[in-house]
Amino acid sequence: MRLVVHNMLQCHVKGCNSNNFPLRLFDVELEIHEIEFNPQFLQSLLPKLDWNAFISTANQIGITSLPQTLPEEIDEDFLKNLHRILFETHIMQGKMVCSNCSHEYPIKEGIPNMLLNEEEAEEEAEVEAEAEED
Amino acid sequence: MLPTPNLDHITSNDYENVYEPAEDTFLFLDALENDIEFIKNDVNPCICLEIGSGTGCVSTFLGQLLGDGATLLLCTDVNPFATAITVKTAIRNSIHLDAITTNFTSGLLPRLYHKVDILCFNPPYVVTSSEDVNSKNFIERAWAGGIYGREVIDRMLPLVNDLLSSNGVFYLLVISDNKPDEICERMWRDYKFQFKISASRLAGREKQFILKFWRNQTCM
């Protein structure tokens, strides 16, 4: 699971509605898989990232080369570093833990598993209502 | 014409656990290929999402059409065998994509709210009893659509409204039994989505359609 994907995931246990993003990473095993650098695509994706969540997550796994806030001027060096961290760094094994309810979502062979059992799962209708409030 | 993604890494054993690409899958590829200029120029997708990716054939193909690394390709499937194979199919075809084992988009909303530019769904569409929809067998879950084959499709429709960006497009495979007119009417009535038939084919006894939906901009 790449960090870009982690930035899109939050806890969806029934009733877990605050402090459920980002999920905290534990016991991670990382691999680097190179992918072609595409600065236009990266720039178009930037506004969709939750930068604070991304930085705190990168810090958790020992990556501290990124600034706390997005710089005004974005140069190619910045983008290349970001590309490496966002798109080339894969979490192959580990777990994601909710800071609010402590539910653990496993990551195995690079794939996160967000499935919940019936008691834990929130109704889709409730998620829609929350999304509309944003 | 781009060739179908290479699936030779998938064994007959694997096909006991994941839906094997068939006429419906290939119709989906046709629709995407026919639309590629529109997708590249008018949509210029940043985030693509496929629900129920199965072998990953459709998203891998989309990745090949757009060029590796040109967009974020996300795939979900409720079947962990499927998400594992989805990743392998992409790698086999030199495409990078991201797979998440989850039910529909659970865990991805609200983060993906109004952010998905290309949304693809080849649903379980076969008319069956309601019980079959929740089968313990993943292959059955891949095709059992319940009453009018619509039970899973109907759960997806409201999520489309949450997920699609302002110029995003939703591609949905249906058959005649699913009452596509009713689906289109509902999408217009409830969410003001415009629609057209992107591709169709007679496959044996089934008439299959790829429906394409997008937001009516003038209403915004």
Side-chain angles (χ1 to χ4, degrees), chain B residues 104-123:
Chain B
F104 288 102
T105 52
S106 295
L108 287 166
L109 276 170
R111 277 294 285 131
L112 285 185
Y113 184 72
H114 287 192
K115 291 192 178 71
V116 178
D117 302 308
I118 301 288
L119 181 63
C120 294
F121 189 31
N122 182 355

Side-chain angles (χ1 to χ4, degrees), chain B residues 150 174-185 209 211:
Chain B
R150 282 274 299 273
V174 295
I175 57 172
S176 312
D177 288 347
N178 302 146
K179 299 195 277 185
D181 290 347
E182 196 182 88
I183 296 171
C184 293
E185 198 191 296
F209 303 88
L211 301 177

Side-chain angles (χ1 to χ4, degrees), chain B residues 14-219:
Chain B
D14 289 330
Y15 285 128
E16 289 178 23
N17 296 309
V18 72
Y19 181 78
E20 181 167 7
E23 298 302 324
D24 54 331
T25 321
F26 306 134
L27 185 65
F28 220 115
L29 303 192
D30 286 346
L32 291 176
E33 187 163 29
N34 291 340
D35 258 13
I36 196 51
E37 292 310 315
F38 162 73
I39 293 172
K40 274 185 171 161
N41 302 327
D42 295 7
V43 182
N44 191 18
C46 181
I47 297 179
C48 304
L49 173 63
E50 183 182 4
I51 309 295
S53 58
T55 56
C57 191
V58 169
S59 285
T60 297
F61 188 73
L62 181 58
Q64 290 173 316
L65 287 172
L66 292 171
D68 190 38
T71 189
L72 190 64
L73 293 163
L74 300 173
C75 296
T76 73
D77 203 296
V78 71
N79 175 1
F81 293 106
T83 44
I85 290 181
T86 288
V87 170
K88 294 194 172 96
T89 297
I91 291 171
R92 177 73 185 86
N93 291 276
S94 307
I95 292 296
H96 290 82
L97 57 68
D98 296 279
I100 301 124
T101 303
T102 192
N103 196 3
F104 288 102
T105 52
S106 295
L108 287 166
L109 276 170
R111 277 294 285 131
L112 285 185
Y113 184 72
H114 287 192
K115 291 192 178 71
V116 178
D117 302 308
I118 301 288
L119 181 63
C120 294
F121 189 31
N122 182 355
Y125 59 71
V126 177
V127 177
T128 66
S129 69
S130 276
E131 280 154 9
D132 291 346
V133 176
N134 298 313
S135 170
K136 296 269 187 294
N137 177 312
F138 279 124
I139 299 288
E140 199 167 35
R141 256 178 107 165
W143 53 258
I147 298 170
Y148 294 113
R150 282 274 299 273
E151 290 187 44
V152 183
I153 292 171
D154 284 356
R155 286 173 62 198
M156 183 66 203
L157 300 184
L159 294 176
V160 176
N161 189 40
D162 289 339
L163 292 163
L164 274 193
S165 59
S166 57
N167 68 330
V169 182
F170 172 47
Y171 292 94
L172 172 71
L173 189 140
V174 295
I175 57 172
S176 312
D177 288 347
N178 302 146
K179 299 195 277 185
D181 290 347
E182 196 182 88
I183 296 171
C184 293
E185 198 191 296
R186 181 177 158 184
M187 287 292 266
W188 171 253
R189 186 193 73 217
D190 292 353
Y191 310 114
K192 292 289 173 279
F193 278 110
Q194 299 202 341
F195 53 85
K196 71 181 272 201
I197 295 174
S198 214
S200 67
R201 167 187 293 169
L202 198 56
R205 287 171 52 244
E206 278 177 7
K207 180 115 196 239
Q208 299 171 342
F209 303 88
I210 303 288
L211 301 177
K212 174 174 151 182
F213 296 93
W214 65 97
R215 294 191 189 278
N216 182 13
Q217 302 290 13
T218 56
C219 277

Side-chain angles (χ1 to χ4, degrees), chain A residues 17-52:
Chain A
N17 300 320
S18 63
N19 200 26
N20 57 4
F21 171 82
L23 296 166
R24 290 197 337 269
L25 292 172
F26 289 96
D27 306 331
V28 300
E29 289 174 26
L30 301 178
E31 277 178 19
I32 304 290
H33 301 158
E34 288 183 357
I35 184 174
E36 193 166 323
F37 175 58
N38 186 325
Q40 293 99 328
F41 163 56
L42 180 46
Q43 295 225 282
S44 71
L45 186 68
L46 261 180
K48 299 171 213 264
L49 282 183
D50 184 313
W51 188 257
N52 288 338

Side-chain angles (χ1 to χ4, degrees), chain A residues 79-134:
Chain A
L79 286 178
K80 283 196 163 148
N81 186 32
L82 183 56
H83 169 85
R84 184 122 176 116
I85 299 166
L86 196 56
F87 293 145
E88 295 188 331
T89 305
H90 291 248
I91 300 164
M92 299 307 291
Q93 319 292 342
K95 57 188 185 187
M96 300 186 286
V97 182
C98 178
S99 299
N100 185 43
C101 72
S102 304
H103 186 86
E104 292 185 11
Y105 299 94
I107 304 160
K108 293 198 177 114
E109 310 300 319
I111 299 173
N113 189 327
M114 303 298 290
L115 291 174
L116 298 174
N117 62 37
E118 264 183 50
E119 295 89 57
E120 293 164 331
E122 185 160 14
E123 285 301 315
E124 275 149 36
E126 290 169 42
V127 178
E128 285 161 48
E130 276 169 50
E132 276 164 20
E133 284 164 33
D134 284 354

